Amino acid sequence: GRAVVQESEFSPKFLINKQGQIIHQNGYQDIGIHTSEGLIPVMQNGKYGFIDSTGREVIPIQYDRVNYFGVG
């Protein structure tokens, strides 16, 4: 299980684990919902990409818009 935390309205968002530990070093402007493929959409500097559940960037944060993966 993971949760999104943010200290104040305009501060970066982080993912934490059940022990309350931040699981990635970079804060993000926005963090989306975990997909069925295990990827999490994130936004940084107005661009989107995906991280995995360990916080590792797996799809570069370079896109203007992202959608969830479809079946197939």
Side-chain angles (χ1 to χ4, degrees):
R2 307 279 187 264
V4 177
V5 295
Q6 184 178 26
E7 287 187 14
S8 66
E9 182 179 356
F10 299 107
S11 65
K13 294 179 181 182
F14 293 91
L15 285 175
I16 60 170
N17 61 21
K18 289 181 180 180
Q19 291 75 36
Q21 300 166 321
I22 294 175
I23 64 167
H24 57 88
Q25 297 301 313
N26 298 324
Y28 297 103
Q29 288 174 289
D30 200 12
I31 300 175
I33 298 171
H34 205 281
T35 69
S36 61
E37 290 79 17
L39 300 177
I40 304 162
V42 294
M43 182 177 72
Q44 183 69 339
N45 298 321
K47 298 288 184 175
Y48 294 88
F50 289 85
I51 60 174
D52 65 14
S53 61
T54 68
R56 184 176 64 91
E57 185 179 305
V58 293
I59 296 177
I61 301 170
Q62 63 184 19
Y63 300 99
D64 292 330
R65 184 177 158 195
V66 296
N67 287 316
Y68 292 102
F69 292 92
V71 178

